Amino acid sequence: MPRWLPRAMLLALALVACFQLASWAFHQLITLLLNVLIAFFLALAIEPAVDWMAARGVRRGLATGSVFIGVLVITAGFFTLLGSMLAGQIATMVEEFPHYLDSVIKWMNATFHTHLSRVEVQNNLLRSDWLQKYVQDSANNVLAVSATVLGSLFNLLTVALFSFYFAADGPRLRRALCSVLPPSRQAEVLRAWEIAVAKTGGYLYSRGLMALISGVAHYVLLEILGVPYAPALGMWVGLVSQFIPTIGTYLAGALPILIAFSVNPWYALWVFGFVVVYQQFENYLLQPRITAKTVDIHPAVAFGSVVAGTALMGVVGALIAIPATATLQAFLSAYVKRYEVTNDPRVRGGGGRRRGARVLARARRTLHAKQPAAPLEDWRKGPGGAHLDQGDREVKGRAAEEPTPDEGGQDARGEETDGEGPGGEQGRGEGGPENDR
């Protein structure tokens, strides 16, 4: 047996063991790593505000705390208003549920010629197997639901803590990162950091602007229909639809539809139709224009990045996919060499316009051919004042740019002119041969 074989086998086993250990550690720490990633992008989003306050003499820690307190107050106020509205509305719906059910049954009997009764429907609903199974499963999963809620709160606190440290100690973190890199790499890291701050902030600002537009539009509709708590519902639709990817629109529209149904079932249908139409307007008209101005990323690329992020990291990937893609695109654009595009009809597109372009070019050539030629300069004439032949007129353009030589002087190329030289002979230089012209 070769001497190197035992060592090679031990090395292979050690590599496999290290790989298994790293894989196990990664799967155990995946939640923490995702929380740190979310915190990093949140810190990038609030860093412009922190830098603005720090530039005006406020300590960086105090500035970061002030921004966090402001965000916390706004979030808490929103959820408090929404929670009180939702609790009161649910209590009202429970009290009025028999009346709603009677209205629906009456409409169904008149429309479909059925003979339903409220008592029969209630008995069938309460005695249904799926309802009993749902209640039993909910009772058995109380501990699991409580653990999930506590875990979510812990993850939220973890994200907030890391976001605070990343934003408050941003300059120190950049110095620590650059201290282990050569100067050329330091410039690249700082530029990438600056691009990430700009793109992440632009993404959040664009989402905030679209949330404002969506909230105002839905508020106007709900106010016209007379649905209660229209301002809170408009805020709910705007925020949830923009900051929860993919399903946010439908999740946000469910609550206004439900409350509109408590007022009038037909109002719920109107709200549902408006939610669907506004979503199409936002996807095809509003979002591409706003995103192009703040994030500078193509809508197709944005959609693909959200799909890829969701497939890789779930909801977290969907949240950070667009700012991460915009940052990577802006950073790599400096290293991609671009060339001037050839003036080819296949590049410009629009094959139906090629014939018109060719006709226009032909007409221009015809007009230029019909224009009379400008007279040559006198010093371009041949002996005896006769014009040069047609073949020599190619110097016409060059002659127009050259200065008119003085008599007895030199032209722009330093050659002797047709004037009399110092020797008194026409067409000769100072003792030189006869001029060819």
Side-chain angles (χ1 to χ4, degrees):
M1 183 175 60
R3 295 180 178 179
W4 56 266
L5 185 58
R7 295 182 179 179
M9 294 178 62
L10 290 177
L11 180 60
L13 291 176
L15 291 177
V16 171
C18 291
F19 176 77
Q20 293 293 336
L21 181 62
S23 178
W24 173 81
F26 177 78
H27 285 87
Q28 295 297 321
L29 299 176
I30 186 64
T31 302
L32 177 62
L33 295 177
L34 291 178
N35 290 336
V36 171
L37 187 61
I38 297 174
F40 177 72
F41 276 95
L42 288 179
L44 293 180
I46 66 173
E47 188 166 351
V50 176
D51 291 339
W52 182 82
M53 297 179 66
R56 282 154 179 78
V58 182
R59 295 181 56 185
R60 194 169 184 88
L62 181 60
T64 306
S66 301
V67 174
F68 265 84
I69 291 175
V71 173
L72 182 62
V73 168
I74 294 175
T75 305
F78 169 72
F79 280 105
T80 300
L81 177 63
L82 187 65
S84 61
M85 179 269 298
L86 188 60
Q89 199 64 30
I90 289 176
T92 303
M93 291 178 62
V94 170
E95 294 176 358
E96 299 293 334
F97 181 75
H99 175 70
Y100 302 148
L101 188 58
D102 288 338
S103 301
V104 173
I105 291 174
K106 183 179 179 180
W107 176 79
M108 292 182 64
N109 291 334
T111 304
F112 301 103
H113 304 288
T114 57
H115 302 283
L116 300 176
S117 63
R118 178 166 59 87
V119 177
E120 182 181 357
V121 172
Q122 286 179 346
N123 292 334
N124 292 334
L125 181 63
L126 294 176
R127 295 175 183 177
S128 60
D129 296 335
W130 67 269
L131 181 61
Q132 295 179 1
K133 183 179 180 180
Y134 176 77
V135 173
Q136 184 178 1
D137 293 341
S138 299
N140 295 331
N141 294 332
V142 171
L143 294 178
V145 173
S146 302
T148 302
V149 172
L150 292 177
S152 300
L153 291 176
F154 178 77
N155 291 333
L156 184 62
L157 292 177
T158 303
V159 170
L161 183 63
F162 276 104
S163 299
F164 180 85
Y165 285 142
F166 284 150
D169 294 338
R172 185 183 304 176
L173 179 62
R174 288 192 288 271
R175 286 196 299 269
L177 184 60
C178 292
S179 63
V180 297
L181 297 173
S184 60
R185 299 297 180 185
Q186 293 178 15
E188 294 181 359
V189 169
L190 293 177
R191 192 172 69 86
W193 193 293
E194 183 179 1
I195 291 174
V197 170
K199 296 300 180 180
T200 305
Y203 170 71
L204 291 180
Y205 298 150
S206 63
R207 287 293 174 179
L209 180 59
M210 288 190 294
L212 177 63
I213 297 174
S214 177
V216 171
H218 288 84
Y219 161 73
V220 170
L221 174 69
L222 296 174
E223 191 69 25
I224 292 175
L225 295 178
V227 178
Y229 304 104
L233 289 176
M235 293 176 59
W236 163 266
V237 173
L239 293 176
V240 174
S241 63
Q242 299 303 323
F243 292 98
I244 296 182
T246 310
I247 62 172
T249 300
Y250 309 103
L251 183 63
L255 183 60
I257 291 173
L258 186 62
I259 295 180
F261 182 84
S262 65
V263 178
N264 191 330
W266 289 106
Y267 289 174
L269 186 61
W270 277 99
V271 174
F272 174 77
F274 183 81
V275 168
V276 173
V277 172
Y278 181 83
Q279 181 64 22
Q280 303 308 313
F281 164 76
E282 181 182 281
N283 290 339
Y284 293 101
L285 295 178
L286 185 62
Q287 181 175 348
R289 287 166 173 78
I290 295 179
T291 305
K293 293 182 180 298
T294 55
V295 186
D296 194 17
I297 183 173
H298 194 274
V301 178
F303 178 74
S305 63
V306 170
V307 173
T310 305
L312 292 175
M313 293 183 291
V315 178
V316 176
L319 286 173
I320 66 175
I322 294 180
T325 304
T327 301
L328 181 62
Q329 175 181 333
F331 183 72
L332 293 179
S333 62
Y335 299 95
V336 177
K337 188 175 182 180
R338 299 183 181 273
Y339 301 91
E340 184 178 357
V341 180
T342 180
N343 190 16
D344 192 288
R346 292 170 295 183
V347 177
R348 296 193 304 267
R353 293 177 292 182
R354 297 177 187 173
R355 181 177 301 176
R358 288 197 296 267
V359 171
L360 181 59
R362 191 178 304 167
R364 288 176 179 174
R365 289 196 297 269
T366 303
L367 290 176
H368 285 302
K370 290 182 178 181
Q371 288 179 355
L376 295 176
E377 304 292 342
D378 292 340
W379 65 282
R380 288 294 183 181
K381 297 179 181 180
H387 285 285
L388 297 178
D389 56 1
Q390 184 68 23
D392 292 334
R393 290 187 180 181
E394 60 182 0
V395 299
K396 171 184 162 184
R398 190 170 65 249
E401 298 177 358
E402 296 174 351
T404 304
D406 295 334
E407 192 171 319
Q410 292 182 345
D411 62 6
R413 292 171 295 178
E415 299 178 353
E416 301 294 340
T417 63
D418 293 340
E420 293 184 0
E425 294 181 1
Q426 183 177 359
R428 296 179 182 271
E430 295 182 358
E434 185 178 357
N435 198 328
D436 294 337
R437 289 181 290 184

